């Protein structure tokens, strides 16, 4: 039942918006419109950005990388706990756990949906709005 409920949840995406001055704004991607974007920042405040000020967008899925990194590290830790030899356990913990975490980070980074838009102009937003809406909270 837990798996069924989890599968029903919609994936959430983080967004990093770079304005024309080079300043970056990060947050959860809430909505896309013809004239700009709406982002929810970390403190739960809503920020509406106009299309005139946006030059680049980076979108990626939230909550996928960390669980895979933890699973990779725990795999080697469990293998070390099952080992009867002390030296083998120490090597598995010392070398295997960081390697498992790194492997999990790599796989999570590859599996997470990423989308990049560079060199955006205000006239581009009506064109890319349909593809942006698949990443937003509001449909």
């Amino acid at each position: 039942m837990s798996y069924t409920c989890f599968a029903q949840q919609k994936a959430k995406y983080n967004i990093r918006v770079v304005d024309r001055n080079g300043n970056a704004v990060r947050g959860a991607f809430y909505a896309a419109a013809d004239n700009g974007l709406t982002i929810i920042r970390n403190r739960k405040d809503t920020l509406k950005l106009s299309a005139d000020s946006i030059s680049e967008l980076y979108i990626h899925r939230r909550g996928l990388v960390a669980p895979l990194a933890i699973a990779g590290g725990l795999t080697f830790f469990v293998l070390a706990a099952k080992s009867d030899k002390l030296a083998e356990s120490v090597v598995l913990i010392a070398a295997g756990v960081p390697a498992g975490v790194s492997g999990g980070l790599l796989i999570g980074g590859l599996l997470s949906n990423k989308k990049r838009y560079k060199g955006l102009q205000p006239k581009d937003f009506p064109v890319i709005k349909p593809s942006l809406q698949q990443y937003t909270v509001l449909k």
Side-chain angles (χ1 to χ4, degrees), residues 15-121:
I15 187 168
R16 183 170 63 112
V17 179
V18 180
D19 64 7
R20 304 244 181 255
N21 297 329
N23 299 327
V25 177
R26 297 173 191 264
F29 196 10
Y30 186 69
D34 288 341
N35 59 354
L37 305 171
T38 304
I39 297 172
I40 300 175
R41 305 245 349 224
N42 294 339
R43 296 185 198 116
K44 304 293 183 201
D45 55 338
T46 305
L47 180 64
K48 186 161 176 84
L49 301 169
S50 69
D52 297 335
S53 65
I54 298 172
S55 67
E56 297 178 12
L57 296 175
Y58 300 97
I59 304 166
H60 65 89
R61 186 174 174 181
R62 248 182 8 179
L64 186 66
V65 176
L68 290 174
I70 292 168
L74 283 176
T75 300
F76 280 97
F77 188 78
V78 168
L79 290 174
K82 286 188 172 188
S83 176
D84 294 334
K85 299 176 185 173
L86 180 63
E88 185 179 318
S89 296
V90 170
V91 168
L92 281 173
I93 289 175
V97 171
V101 170
S102 299
L105 288 173
L106 177 68
I107 292 170
L110 292 174
L111 292 178
S112 67
N113 298 357
K114 293 181 182 178
K115 190 77 171 173
R116 292 186 174 103
Y117 295 98
K118 292 185 177 184
L120 289 173
Q121 299 296 323

